[in-house]
Amino acid sequence: DTAAANALDDYEEGTWTPAWNSGSNGRSISGTGSYTKVGNTVNLRGHFTINGDTNTGSGDVSFSGLPFTSVNANDSRTAVTSYWSHLATAADVGGFVQTNSQIFYFREGGTTGDGADLGNHIDQDSHFFFSATYQVA
């Protein structure tokens, strides 16, 4: 179909680097991700290393620096797929892209209480592989 409504008029590829956004505990993140944007949809992927001391944080873990601001609609909040290594816990980790922002969060699951202590379970040089698709404003 070659109708104007179906024309590919917004395509972009690039790289992005997230920033550690969970307090000032001496941690940083290294690695570069890539993205593809088609229209109002962005697909992200990457492999990152969290540098710094072992178990120096607490609570949820968040990163800033997504390449585009996400849409401001709660029904469009996007889950993040990830795999973590070198964690000081065997708990599952889930994540999401915050609405109307360039921030994504990770939270520990499968623990007692609220499961919000991932920051305390990240060991030195923990790695995570990341993939998400989200809509942009």
Side-chain angles (χ1 to χ4, degrees):
D1 186 352
T2 59
N6 296 323
L8 181 61
D9 59 356
D10 187 7
Y11 179 88
E12 182 178 334
E13 293 181 349
T15 60
W16 64 283
T17 303
W20 180 261
N21 198 40
S22 295
S24 57
N25 56 13
R27 294 206 179 163
S28 63
I29 186 169
S30 59
T32 301
S34 60
Y35 70 87
T36 303
K37 179 179 179 285
V38 179
N40 70 345
T41 303
V42 178
N43 181 276
L44 304 167
R45 57 221 158 260
H47 170 206
F48 305 101
T49 303
I50 300 173
N51 308 300
D53 294 332
T54 298
N55 300 335
T56 59
S58 64
D60 291 345
V61 172
S62 67
F63 302 95
S64 58
L66 290 175
F68 301 94
T69 299
S70 63
V71 69
N72 188 17
N74 282 333
D75 62 345
S76 295
R77 186 173 285 181
T78 300
V80 171
T81 302
S82 66
Y83 170 80
W84 291 71
S85 67
H86 298 99
L87 290 180
T89 181
D92 294 328
V93 176
F96 66 92
V97 173
Q98 179 64 36
T99 59
N100 196 35
S101 76
Q102 292 178 292
I103 298 174
F104 57 105
Y105 289 86
F106 289 102
R107 174 170 261 208
E108 190 176 293
T111 62
T112 58
D114 64 0
D117 204 23
L118 178 61
N120 189 46
H121 294 140
I122 295 175
D123 284 340
Q124 184 175 2
D125 299 326
S126 289
H127 295 261
F128 72 97
F129 301 84
F130 170 88
S131 174
T133 301
Y134 70 101
Q135 288 187 324
V136 298

